[in-house]
Amino acid sequence: MQRSAGAGIPGRFAGVAVAVALTVASVAACDATEEALGEDTPPAASEAAAMPPIIWGTCPASAEGASRDPRLTCATVQVPLDHRNPGGEKIEVAVSKLPAAKSDDRRGVLLLNPGGPALPGLDTPGVVAPTLPPSVLAAYDLIGFDPRGVGRSTPQSCRLDDPSLAGLFPYPAADGSITANVKQARAHAERCATNAGEKLKHFTTANTARDVDRIRAALGEEKISYWGQSYGTYLGTVYGSLFPERADRVVLEGNVDPRKVWAHAKDNWGKAMSERFPDAAKVAAAQHATLGLGGTVDEVTRGYLALADRLDRTPAPVPGTQQALTGSMLRTVTYSLLLDNKSLPVLAQFWKAAAALADGKLTEADGQVLRQVFAAAPPVPGVPADNQATMFLALTCGDAQWSGDVDEYARRTAQDRAAWPLSAGMPANIWACAFWPKPVEEPVRVTDEGPRNTLILQNRRDNATPWEDGLGLHEVLGKRAAFVGADNGGHYVYRQGSTCVDEATVTFLTTGRLPDNKVDCTDIALR
């Protein structure tokens, strides 16, 4: 899921991996119509053809202090709230464009999605452009958008007491009990039902994919190319399944297995954490003389687990704030900073500061690190504070039905907690989805039928969308996709130190050529 918490934390596409990770704490259709529109049925071609052309203008205001590429222009596209009832209520989807470099080599548009679920993407073209070579920038207009319900696209809000995405993560109590988690999950579901209401059920990945096709039509393009990261890989897979002849070249990076959406998407999180954590522990161990966290990976890991347990039982108040550092927060920040190799030194400093706080030996430097952690992210004008958390729930709960068996969640949480102590049983625990209304449609069926037009990029040690899920997506897509795996850690694959990965990606985008066989990239040179 992260960029999805599986994600949920943005990375290269959003350009603020460390910053966001450090603020997670603060932070009517008739029956006949419904029967006629099946899970794989796109809007009628005549509807798409009738889309008025986009009129580009000034982009909406950013959060205070945020930068934006001055070449970026924005617009809105009207789409049906319910694609089963195209003549009914409309909502607006915000779209942005960074035009292709002037050249005779323009191929079309490359639509970008940074994941989440529920990350805004208006500024994504400006962030991605500097990572792309001139050949790609000449071939494509880069298109960003805020998915329905997110950011500037008819934003939704459940009015959650804790607006942060981190507040949704159901870590068990210190003794492993999930009683409080059950209460919280039920409260989240009730709050969304009361405040967001019936309309929230239409804010799904399938409808977002249908919106993407409306964007394609408004752009005047017969086909679109697409690059999605994390949750964005699922959105891209759904689009390619609903509209196989309208997807041109598709890049999927840090992947979701569509067979696991969404109740089982976290099944491999514990294992993935155990495989990724040593990368950070090595960084900390190499600085044992100054950090004092242990001289080996095993020592650092044992100290971390002991600290998390201690903070579970006795949270440590943070001086100068009304916050306290808990075991859940320690784990959430750790998860977030593990997403990017460049964040590992910061993570080691955070562990040191957390240990010093718990010991009552906080230095000024340690305090500065913790103040960063507990600093509130600047608000985006016109966007509710709980927008991402709300839409995270809308998508993960509304795309597919979850079990409501509380006892089963308790049993699986205990098993997961014992098997993978670093994640403490959280991935198997209960979410609001257990108490969510039944989805309006079944998940879109993904198969190996369709054009061969997809490049899968996957890291071996990805703690958000594990290696096994990338392989799972490749198994489902079969001959439609090529697989490029990197012997690297973190959630991001392109431009992370592998020429092998980068050349395969650029070659595909510029020529359409895919590798004939699976590619194993081992030429990692961390930057």
Side-chain angles (χ1 to χ4, degrees):
M1 293 162 64
Q2 232 6 308
R3 251 173 262 275
S4 8
I9 306 299
R12 168 173 47 76
F13 271 24
V16 288
V18 176
V20 176
L22 290 176
T23 58
V24 290
S26 65
V27 288
C30 67
D31 292 340
T33 303
E34 292 183 352
E35 292 172 1
L37 183 57
E39 66 183 58
D40 295 330
T41 305
S46 59
E47 295 165 15
M51 291 295 294
I54 290 179
I55 300 175
W56 299 103
T58 303
C59 293
S62 303
E64 184 177 354
S67 60
R68 170 174 286 157
D69 191 307
R71 298 170 295 172
L72 207 66
T73 56
C74 294
T76 58
V77 174
Q78 279 201 342
V79 299
L81 169 67
D82 179 3
H83 279 273
R84 300 171 184 273
N85 182 20
E89 181 178 349
K90 301 295 191 296
I91 60 174
E92 289 190 338
V93 172
V95 184
S96 64
K97 180 177 76 169
L98 196 158
K102 291 184 179 180
S103 166
D104 293 333
D105 298 325
R106 183 186 181 277
R107 179 175 181 83
V109 302
L110 178 60
L111 187 140
L112 308 166
N113 181 269
L119 282 175
L122 276 188
D123 285 303
T124 302
V127 174
V128 171
T131 74
L132 298 173
S135 58
V136 175
L137 295 176
Y140 299 98
D141 298 332
L142 301 183
I143 304 298
F145 74 113
D146 286 354
R148 63 165 51 206
V150 175
R152 300 295 185 159
S153 295
T154 318
Q156 301 298 294
S157 172
C158 292
R159 302 178 192 172
L160 300 171
D161 291 334
D162 181 351
S164 71
L165 187 64
L168 301 180
F169 279 40
Y171 284 98
D175 62 357
S177 167
I178 71 165
T179 301
N181 304 124
V182 174
K183 181 178 179 181
Q184 182 185 55
R186 192 186 301 275
H188 285 161
E190 291 175 350
R191 184 66 65 92
C192 287
T194 299
N195 295 320
E198 279 287 306
K199 293 181 182 180
L200 195 62
K201 67 184 180 183
H202 298 297
F203 289 82
T204 65
T205 299
N207 278 332
T208 303
R210 293 167 182 136
D211 294 345
V212 168
D213 201 57
R214 293 299 183 103
I215 294 172
R216 174 201 58 77
L219 290 168
E221 301 287 338
E222 292 186 8
K223 292 186 175 185
I224 58 169
S225 291
Y226 176 90
W227 191 335
Q229 211 280 338
S230 193
Y231 162 81
T233 66
Y234 182 59
L235 176 59
T237 300
V238 170
Y239 182 79
S241 297
L242 289 174
F243 307 98
E245 301 307 319
R246 299 177 191 171
D248 190 10
R249 297 170 183 172
V250 178
V251 179
L252 306 177
E253 177 188 11
N255 296 276
V256 172
D257 186 336
R259 298 170 297 188
K260 296 182 176 181
V261 172
W262 285 110
H264 296 287
K266 306 177 300 305
D267 286 355
N268 290 321
W269 271 15
K271 179 176 182 291
M273 276 292 290
S274 74
E275 294 170 343
R276 173 58 168 160
F277 190 90
D279 291 343
K282 289 176 185 176
V283 172
Q287 303 175 67
H288 178 49
T290 55
L291 298 181
L293 297 173
T296 68
V297 168
D298 286 345
E299 288 176 356
V300 173
T301 303
R302 287 196 297 270
Y304 173 85
L305 290 171
L307 178 60
D309 181 69
R310 181 179 174 186
L311 292 171
D312 277 339
R313 301 176 189 280
T314 309
V318 180
T321 77
Q322 296 181 342
Q323 304 277 4
L325 183 62
T326 64
S328 297
M329 173 50 57
L330 177 74
R331 297 184 187 95
T332 300
V333 174
T334 296
Y335 168 89
S336 303
L337 291 176
L338 285 173
L339 296 175
D340 193 328
N341 285 322
K342 294 187 292 294
S343 304
L344 300 187
V346 178
L347 178 55
Q349 292 289 335
F350 169 69
W351 288 343
K352 176 183 180 296
L357 179 67
D359 291 338
K361 300 177 180 179
L362 197 69
T363 67
E364 176 55 32
D366 294 331
Q368 186 175 0
V369 171
L370 293 178
R371 283 192 291 274
Q372 283 182 288
V373 172
F374 286 92
V380 178
V383 179
D386 72 336
N387 179 235
Q388 189 188 357
T390 293
M391 285 304 303
F392 183 96
L393 291 177
L395 292 163
T396 56
C397 302
D399 280 353
Q401 192 159 16
W402 292 49
S403 168
D405 188 339
V406 173
D407 291 339
E408 177 66 11
Y409 285 107
R411 184 185 67 79
R412 293 184 66 245
T413 298
Q415 290 177 340
D416 198 69
R417 184 179 177 87
W420 312 110
L422 285 168
S423 53
M426 183 278 292
N429 206 348
I430 195 166
W431 294 68
C433 306
F435 306 106
W436 210 259
K438 182 180 178 180
V440 294
E441 61 181 310
E442 295 293 320
V444 173
R445 187 169 59 92
V446 179
T447 73
D448 61 358
E449 298 177 3
R452 179 173 168 80
N453 66 348
T454 300
L455 178 66
I456 296 173
L457 306 178
Q458 182 67 45
N459 277 341
R460 187 168 290 277
R461 300 183 307 284
D462 182 342
N463 58 298
T465 52
W467 174 258
E468 291 85 354
D469 291 2
L471 292 176
L473 175 59
H474 188 223
E475 181 180 340
V476 173
L477 292 180
K479 63 182 182 297
R480 293 173 60 189
F483 184 92
V484 174
D487 187 14
N488 203 354
H491 197 31
Y492 318 113
V493 191
Y494 176 75
R495 294 272 292 187
Q496 297 300 304
S498 171
T499 300
C500 168
V501 167
D502 297 349
E503 288 183 349
T505 305
V506 172
T507 296
F508 174 55
L509 287 173
T510 55
T511 72
R513 290 198 303 270
L514 289 168
D516 293 328
N517 302 304
K518 284 185 180 180
V519 177
D520 294 319
C521 294
T522 58
D523 62 333
I524 310 302
L526 298 182
R527 298 165 179 170

